[in-house]
Amino acid sequence: MSTAARPRVLETIGEVREVVAEERAAGRRVSLTPTLGALHDGHLVHLSRAAELVDTRIVSIFVNPLQFGPNEDLAKYPRTLDADLDRLGQLGVPFVFAPSAAEMYPDGPPSIRVHAGRIGELYEGRSRPGHFDGVLTVVAKLLLIVGPDVVTFGQKDAQQLFLVRRMIDDLNIPVRLEAIEIVREEDGLALSSRNRYLEVKERRAARTLSLALEAAASSADQGIDAVVAAAQGTLMGEPLVELDYLKIVDPETFLPTDDGYRGPALVLVAAKVGGTRLIDNERISLAG
Ligand code: PAF
């Protein structure tokens, strides 16, 4: 049982605005770390970085129904508010914004949304139609509610990070976006709230995603075909992994790289391991 003071939980938009106004009046800079809750050590890295940049950190915990498709895990998504508050208390985070769906969407699903555009329909967006419109809509709302100086997003959700950056630029939202590197378990598995769904055998199989990315990175000097072959070969060696996509994209545009492309690239992978959908990515430098 933790003895650190837990954060104050703000449930309404009005409370958040009041708190942020007080912080600003006292000359304090504010950050926002948006989450779905079920916090893990990866989230803690966001908060350490935020502590270097601002005075007052706010974490939002909201399982946003807009970004889950009809056959996805909205109902069973892990909700661990008590444990989350303990962890955040230990880090000295003073405020958590944990609104209800009715507070965020008082008239039900909103008719006006942020549209993620063409890139929002590729990769994750192809497998999860409407997902990124749901993400960007809630992120825009959170940024307008909190008005932070800094917002943190993880590199693990690389496409989400790209689209949030683009939204911030396209809509001139006055916030600094701080990208946080992927945090991995010792065997390479990228931390994710969904890892807790994995059974023992699946957990072992899940490390194949990061192994495939390592194989891709080691083949980067031989060109794109070698990268794809190395990653695919690794993934196909694990029967519990059902590959959804493996893509090499240009990090500037998030479009698939052409055959002749040389330079920095991102390898994206998504796969189901048992019933759990996992994603991961790695930066490589394509030569060859
Ligand atoms: O990455 C997440 O946890 C979610 O997509 C986010 C950014 C909190 C929006 O609901």
Side-chain angles (χ1 to χ4, degrees):
M1 178 91 178
S2 154
T3 51
R6 281 177 156 199
R8 181 174 152 202
V9 179
L10 312 168
E11 291 180 353
T12 67
I13 294 167
E15 281 174 282
V16 175
R17 292 216 160 113
E18 231 168 74
V19 159
V20 173
E22 282 164 15
E23 294 303 303
R24 293 217 176 286
R28 290 195 275 269
R29 284 163 53 80
V30 173
S31 69
L32 171 68
T33 295
T35 79
L36 297 170
L39 302 183
H40 51 68
D41 289 351
H43 292 111
L44 308 192
V45 176
H46 288 235
L47 293 161
S48 318
R49 179 65 185 135
E52 294 169 359
L53 299 173
V54 302
D55 311 288
T56 303
R57 294 165 295 167
I58 302 181
V59 173
S60 65
I61 296 183
F62 178 57
V63 184
N64 172 37
L66 282 196
Q67 68 189 72
F68 287 79
N71 300 318
E72 295 184 13
D73 55 347
L74 173 63
K76 75 164 200 169
Y77 197 84
R79 288 160 173 87
T80 59
L81 186 62
D82 257 356
D84 292 347
L85 293 176
D86 279 343
R87 294 195 95 171
L88 295 173
Q90 281 154 15
L91 296 180
V93 171
F95 301 108
V96 163
F97 177 39
S100 62
E103 179 69 10
M104 291 298 274
Y105 306 118
D107 302 320
S111 54
I112 307 290
R113 300 180 188 210
V114 179
H115 178 44
R118 178 172 168 220
I119 301 298
E121 285 162 15
L122 302 175
Y123 327 121
E124 278 306 280
R126 175 159 300 167
S127 298
R128 308 182 65 187
H131 170 68
F132 286 118
D133 289 6
V135 169
L136 293 187
T137 301
V138 83
V139 171
K141 281 174 72 81
L142 290 168
L143 290 174
L144 288 166
I145 291 165
V146 178
D149 299 284
V150 172
V151 67
T152 65
F153 276 90
Q155 175 64 38
K156 187 181 81 71
D157 297 295
Q159 191 177 2
Q160 168 173 282
L161 174 63
F162 176 88
L163 289 167
V164 168
R165 181 173 283 126
R166 182 158 272 189
M167 174 179 77
I168 287 172
D169 287 348
D170 285 355
L171 302 185
N172 304 102
I173 301 177
V175 67
R176 164 173 168 180
L177 193 166
E178 191 64 19
I180 308 294
E181 286 303 317
I182 300 176
V183 182
R184 298 182 179 280
E185 302 274 11
E186 244 170 60
D187 67 356
L189 178 67
L191 296 195
S192 160
S193 303
R194 288 191 168 97
N195 291 352
R196 66 187 73 198
Y197 297 148
L198 297 167
E199 288 168 9
V200 177
K201 267 202 282 187
E202 296 166 350
R203 169 63 189 81
R204 263 198 303 272
R207 64 196 281 269
T208 314
L209 270 72
S210 58
L211 289 176
L213 294 174
E214 277 173 30
S218 329
S219 310
D221 56 350
Q222 295 158 54
I224 191 163
D225 290 345
V227 166
V228 172
Q232 255 169 4
T234 309
L235 291 160
M236 276 159 46
E238 175 47 72
L240 286 181
V241 171
E242 191 190 319
L243 181 64
D244 180 355
Y245 61 79
L246 172 75
K247 298 283 175 194
I248 322 289
V249 304
D250 177 343
E252 292 295 315
T253 61
F254 235 80
L255 290 168
T257 50
D258 299 330
D259 281 351
Y261 180 87
R262 304 278 180 278
L266 261 183
V267 186
L268 309 177
V269 64
K272 265 198 164 173
V273 183
T276 304
R277 194 157 185 290
L278 299 176
I279 60 173
D280 200 350
N281 67 87
E282 175 92 37
R283 285 192 204 89
I284 60 169
S285 181
L286 269 178

